[in-house]
Amino acid sequence: MSVLRWIRRNLIVIAGLLTLAYMILPNIVVMVFSFNKPNGRFNYAWQQFSLDAWKDPCGVADLCGSLSLSLQIAFWATLGATALGTAVAFALVRYRFRARGAISSLIFLPMAMPEVVMAASLLTLFLNMGAELGFWTVLIAHIMFCLSFVVTAVKARVMSMDPRLEEAARDLYAGPVQTFVRVTLPIAAPGIAAGALLAFALSFDDFIITNFNAGSTVTFPMFVWGSAQRGTPVQINVIGTAMFVIAVLMVLVGQLIASRRKSNARN
């Protein structure tokens, strides 16, 4: 009975830990097999421990080239989607205009629509325009589908802002630009940063939309998919592990900065 009582008391914690383990398990598998030395082409069975792939992560032809291309597209798509999405979010929250409700509803369509439908629609658009499929068509497509996620993240932050803070700044003779830079932007920064990080992750990770509109351009997800048909090299696990570790470190640094700010505010 005592065991059942303890499980019932900590059921939410146990469920949370099991969910976390379920989410992290694939990353752990990728990390473990980044130190494997397979006998054949497929890195699906453990053979022996080796650091060869870590010593030469670009040892596979075109791997680092596709990775660099994905990082470039994700960077520029994040900049474009964040700038446009932030402006749209402020417009939807702060201003009243015709079709405002319809636009707010349309913003959610790219998130609700299957990616294959959006990919085919964008491909049709580019072909009808006579555009050459490649870097620019992929970049435009990524900005378009990342825009909705940025708008949603920034809009939630802007809606929670206290307008009295901006009114206080204006009462202290701050101009519109100074108020925006000194008050509005710092308050909205967490939402903007969250939208930017989400856009970067979605853009870097996208395969379906990219595959439809890339032409001869090969991004990292497309390289991984193509390699899986012939045999996944260990270097892919190395890149995946490195990106996972970097993402975890960024989250930990963000949490550390946030906790320090809270402690300084209390003091």
Side-chain angles (χ1 to χ4, degrees), residues 30-164:
V30 170
M31 187 180 301
V32 170
F33 276 84
S34 68
F35 297 98
N36 187 29
K37 187 176 182 179
N39 292 330
R41 295 180 301 168
F42 297 96
N43 187 27
Y44 300 149
W46 180 264
Q47 301 295 333
Q48 59 178 322
F49 180 86
S50 175
L51 294 173
D52 293 344
W54 282 93
K55 294 177 181 178
D56 189 15
C58 295
V60 179
D62 299 328
L63 188 152
C64 285
S66 63
L67 176 63
S68 175
L69 182 62
S70 286
L71 291 174
Q72 292 178 48
I73 292 174
F75 175 78
W76 291 112
T78 300
L79 285 183
T82 302
L84 293 174
T86 301
V88 172
F90 272 95
L92 291 175
V93 175
R94 296 295 180 86
Y95 298 96
R96 300 292 182 268
F97 51 89
R98 290 184 179 180
R100 176 172 170 267
I103 293 175
S104 296
S105 301
L106 289 173
I107 289 296
F108 290 95
L109 277 182
M111 294 187 291
M113 185 183 301
E115 279 195 49
V116 67
V117 176
M118 184 183 298
S121 302
L122 287 169
L123 176 61
T124 303
L125 173 64
F126 291 137
L127 291 178
N128 288 332
M129 293 176 59
E132 182 180 355
L133 299 181
F135 178 89
W136 293 107
T137 54
V138 173
L139 179 60
I140 293 171
H142 282 206
I143 292 175
M144 291 182 67
F145 81 81
C146 288
L147 183 62
S148 298
F149 295 91
V150 176
V151 171
T152 303
V154 179
K155 184 180 176 183
R157 181 64 179 179
V158 175
M159 290 178 66
S160 65
M161 291 172 57
D162 189 352
R164 291 176 296 181

Side-chain angles (χ1 to χ4, degrees), residues 124-256:
T124 303
L125 173 64
F126 291 137
L127 291 178
N128 288 332
M129 293 176 59
E132 182 180 355
L133 299 181
F135 178 89
W136 293 107
T137 54
V138 173
L139 179 60
I140 293 171
H142 282 206
I143 292 175
M144 291 182 67
F145 81 81
C146 288
L147 183 62
S148 298
F149 295 91
V150 176
V151 171
T152 303
V154 179
K155 184 180 176 183
R157 181 64 179 179
V158 175
M159 290 178 66
S160 65
M161 291 172 57
D162 189 352
R164 291 176 296 181
L165 296 175
E166 295 170 290
E167 293 174 1
R170 288 192 291 268
D171 290 340
L172 295 173
Y173 304 103
V177 176
Q178 192 174 12
T179 301
F180 179 79
V181 174
R182 296 288 185 88
V183 179
T184 307
L185 192 58
I187 298 176
I192 297 173
L197 291 174
L198 183 60
F200 185 89
L202 290 170
S203 175
F204 181 85
D205 186 58
D206 182 77
F207 172 77
I208 297 177
I209 294 177
T210 304
N211 190 42
F212 270 74
N213 300 279
S216 59
T217 303
V218 179
T219 61
F220 184 69
M222 295 176 64
F223 178 86
V224 173
W225 179 82
S227 298
Q229 314 303 313
R230 305 182 300 271
T232 307
V234 184
Q235 281 81 356
I236 290 179
N237 295 65
V238 173
I239 299 298
T241 300
M243 298 196 68
F244 174 72
V245 171
I246 291 173
V248 171
L249 289 176
M250 289 178 63
V251 172
L252 293 177
V253 170
Q255 293 293 330
L256 180 61

